[in-house]
Amino acid sequence: MRKIFITISACVIIYGCSVNSLFYHPNHILYQIPIYPYEDITFFSKDGTELNGWFIPSEGTPRGTVIFFHGNAGNISAHYTFVRWLTEKRFNLFLFDYRGYGKSKGCPDRRGIYEDSVSAIEYVQSRKDVDPNKLLILGQSLGGANAISAVGNNHFKGIRSVVIEASFFSYTSIAKDRLRHGSCLLPGISADILLNDDFSPGMVVDEISPIPILFIHGTADDVVPFP
C-alpha cells in the first residue's frame, strides 16, 4: 500500500508540474526593441510585484490605445513584431510582461497573472496622455484568456472593443487536450483533481457584453485546438 501511495503521489507531482508548464514559458531574452520611440515602463501589480512594459505612442493624433496581452512563450520583445504596425495606424500601443516574464519580477502563477492583467489596464487608464474612453484590448493565446478574464471580471469603463486570437475556453479543457498523450495519470486520476477553472475565460466571457468582441482562430492550429 505504501508503494502504491508513493507512486500515485509522485505521478501527481509530475503531472502538476506538467500542467503548470503548459501555460507559462517565460524567458528573459531581449529579442528586439521597438523600431519607434518608446517608453520603458515600470508599474506594479495588486500585490506589489514590479512589472515591465513598453508604451509606444501613435504616429500622429491617436485614434485610441491598444493594450496587448501576449502569448505564453518568451516575453514582449518576442511578440512585438505581431503588433508593431498598430502605431502606424494611429493607435498608441502598450505591451507588458506578466510576472516572471522579461524584466517583470516574480514567478508566474494563474492568480498573479490575472492580477497583472487587471493592473495593466488600470495603469493605461491612469496615463495623462491616453484617452481612457478609447481603449482596445488585444489578446493572443494565453494572453487572450488573461484579457477575457480581466475584462469579464471587472467593469472597466472606456473599453471599446476586445479582439482575441487563438485562445481557449478553460484551463482544464486545454490541459486535458495537451496532456492526454503521454500523461503519467493512473486510471481514475483526472486532470480536474489537479487543476480548476479559476480565472478561466469561458466562465466570464458573457460578462464582457455589451462591449463587442471578435474571436479569431485558425482551423489548422495545432497548439490551441479550433473550437
Side-chain angles (χ1 to χ4, degrees):
M1 179 63 70
R2 178 179 172 80
K3 290 182 179 180
I4 294 175
F5 176 77
I6 292 173
T7 300
I8 293 175
S9 298
C11 185
V12 166
I13 292 170
I14 293 170
Y15 181 73
C17 293
S18 298
V19 167
N20 192 59
S21 68
L22 282 178
F23 304 121
Y24 312 123
H25 297 281
N27 67 37
H28 309 290
I29 299 170
L30 180 62
Y31 295 94
Q32 60 184 319
I33 61 173
I35 60 176
Y36 305 109
Y38 72 102
E39 294 179 52
D40 193 64
I41 302 297
T42 296
F43 66 107
F44 297 90
S45 192
K46 181 179 179 180
D47 64 356
T49 300
E50 182 179 309
L51 305 176
N52 178 249
W54 292 343
F55 183 84
I56 310 170
S58 161
E59 293 189 22
T61 303
R63 301 163 63 185
T65 299
V66 176
I67 305 173
F68 178 58
F69 296 71
H70 68 74
N72 76 358
N75 56 69
I76 53 175
S77 70
H79 294 268
Y80 166 61
T81 302
F82 180 75
V83 291
R84 68 183 182 187
W85 58 274
L86 284 164
T87 56
E88 299 173 3
K89 300 300 182 181
R90 293 177 39 222
F91 288 97
N92 298 323
L93 176 60
F94 182 69
L95 307 84
F96 71 100
D97 270 325
Y98 319 113
R99 62 187 62 206
Y101 286 74
K103 295 197 300 181
S104 291
K105 307 299 184 182
C107 297
D109 66 86
R110 204 185 318 170
R111 174 177 288 278
I113 286 181
Y114 163 76
E115 292 179 353
D116 300 345
S117 300
V118 173
S119 296
I121 298 174
E122 293 175 341
Y123 166 74
V124 173
Q125 287 180 321
S126 73
R127 287 184 63 102
K128 301 300 183 183
D129 55 353
V130 165
D131 185 340
N133 294 311
K134 293 183 179 179
L135 303 181
L136 302 95
I137 303 295
L138 174 57
Q140 185 180 49
S141 191
L142 175 68
N146 295 334
I148 291 173
S149 185
V151 176
N153 277 302
N154 298 273
H155 298 287
F156 290 112
K157 296 180 180 179
I159 295 177
R160 296 296 187 88
S161 64
V162 176
V163 178
I164 304 298
E165 192 262 332
S167 194
F168 50 87
F169 181 82
S170 71
Y171 286 96
T172 54
S173 65
I174 191 64
K176 289 175 182 177
D177 178 82
R178 300 306 296 169
L179 291 177
R180 67 175 180 268
H181 301 298
S183 169
C184 72
L185 286 184
L186 298 175
I189 298 180
S190 166
D192 298 325
I193 295 175
L194 300 169
L195 191 68
N196 59 39
D197 278 325
D198 290 350
F199 308 111
S200 286
M203 309 301 108
V204 296
V205 66
D206 289 346
E207 300 300 319
I208 293 177
S209 179
I211 299 171
I213 183 167
L214 171 66
F215 291 98
I216 304 170
H217 207 136
T219 57
D221 192 332
D222 61 359
V223 176
V224 179
F226 182 75

